[in-house]
Amino acid sequence: MKQQNESMIYDEKVLRPANGWAVLILSILAYIAATVGTVLCAIAMENGNIGGIVGFVACVVYLCIGWIWWLGIKVIRPNEAVVLTLFGKYVGSIKSEGFFFVNPFCISVNPAADTAVHARVSQTQPISALTGASASINVTPQNKKVSLKAFTHDNEKQKINDELGNPIEVGIIVIWRVKNTARAVFNVENYKLFLSTQADSALRDVVRCYPYDAPGTEDKSLRGSSAEIALQLKEELQERVEFAGLEVIEARITHLAYAPEIAAAMLQRQQATAIIEARQKIVDGAVGMVEMALSRISEGKICELDDERKAQMVSNLLVVLCGNRDAQPIVNSGSIY
């Protein structure tokens, strides 16, 4: 099975075709020569020259089929490529920008373009049926060229269970480009749909290995370890799309939230956790201030307090420092005893 899969993988062959301008100029000159030769051979035929008949037939035939050379002229813009086949056999790819000439019988191949055209037709047909219009569907010409530019793929939000089983909504964005044109065209039917499917699968595999959040610990989480998760997601996706000749430049989570059915409960949980942490800091600070106050009174010999008075003072200070509302002091005008 492994040998069979390896035999299905196509290696890219980069072509160095001839200059298209030279072929274009020569073909135009040949057409001019054939036109002039047709006239001269017709004059020779009227004078009874037998050779004129052969020349006349040859010139007329060339005028009829000479345009075939123009089928081999290819215009390649920057960051574009053309995958060529000759009678069903892959002959190579042109990845350089310019004006080139190849075998006129070579055909450009890009199944992804065919799929896109069929999708546009299927979306347009129901509209004509509902309106009762009998007008024909206009479909733009298929672009058989493979773009080498960087694309941005934005997946829809998915509901996935994290490591703890909590349903969360996750969305990712993938920046990618075609690296191997032969694999992109021949190994998969539509490399764009293939990338989208593999991005969904890779996202699910990565999200299931981490919790949504891990507060108070050093464990990795989807919310707290975005850089590590993005790197792992990129490596996982790159391994999956290598078969299709694609290169993943970046893969990053753009949307992360609890699912609506548990969002309210998780919000209350987060609020309770935040309140507990805040209370802990308040209590720690209050205890430190009480200790400082007692030590200052003792060191300064301001007054002598027995254990009962110290306990009462500690209680009052903690109430003042830890209370949610401002304390209303009561001034004792008499003796403290």
Side-chain angles (χ1 to χ4, degrees), residues 30 40 61 116 146 182 209 246 317 332:
L40 295 178
V61 170
V146 179
C209 298
L246 306 180
L317 287 175
N332 187 2

Side-chain angles (χ1 to χ4, degrees), residues 167-179:
I168 59 177
E169 290 184 346
V170 188
I172 63 170
I173 187 171
V174 181
I175 301 176
W176 62 280
R177 69 182 183 91
V178 177
K179 182 179 180 181

Side-chain angles (χ1 to χ4, degrees), residues 22-42:
V23 176
L24 179 62
I25 294 173
L26 290 177
S27 62
I28 292 176
L29 293 177
Y31 250 103
I32 295 175
T35 303
V36 175
T38 302
V39 176
L40 295 178
C41 291

Side-chain angles (χ1 to χ4, degrees), residues 132-207:
S134 59
S136 60
I137 300 175
N138 296 324
V139 179
T140 57
Q142 301 178 18
N143 184 11
K144 296 292 186 176
K145 298 177 182 178
V146 179
S147 178
L148 303 180
K149 301 175 183 178
F151 290 90
T152 301
H153 175 72
D154 190 1
N155 261 27
E156 296 181 355
K157 300 175 185 177
Q158 301 182 65
K159 185 181 292 185
I160 308 173
N161 292 338
D162 65 355
E163 186 182 23
L164 302 178
N166 299 321
I168 59 177
E169 290 184 346
V170 188
I172 63 170
I173 187 171
V174 181
I175 301 176
W176 62 280
R177 69 182 183 91
V178 177
K179 182 179 180 181
N180 189 311
T181 56
R183 292 186 180 185
V185 170
F186 298 118
N187 285 358
V188 293
E189 181 64 23
N190 188 327
Y191 53 87
K192 296 181 180 179
L193 295 179
F194 181 80
L195 174 75
S196 177
T197 303
Q198 295 302 325
D200 294 343
S201 178
L203 179 62
R204 290 182 178 275
D205 290 344
V206 172
V207 169

Side-chain angles (χ1 to χ4, degrees), residues 230-288:
L231 180 60
Q232 182 176 351
L233 185 60
K234 174 186 175 182
E235 294 175 352
E236 178 75 16
L237 183 57
Q238 179 62 58
E239 183 179 355
R240 292 171 178 266
V241 300
E242 188 70 26
F243 175 76
L246 306 180
E247 179 186 3
V248 179
I249 302 174
E250 183 180 2
R252 189 173 297 275
I253 294 177
T254 56
H255 176 80
L256 182 64
Y258 284 110
E261 56 267 24
I262 67 168
M266 289 301 176
L267 180 59
Q268 293 179 355
R269 177 182 176 184
Q270 292 177 355
Q271 290 176 346
T273 303
I275 292 174
I276 292 173
E277 293 178 355
R279 288 294 181 183
Q280 288 178 349
K281 292 183 178 181
I282 292 174
V283 171
D284 292 339
V287 172

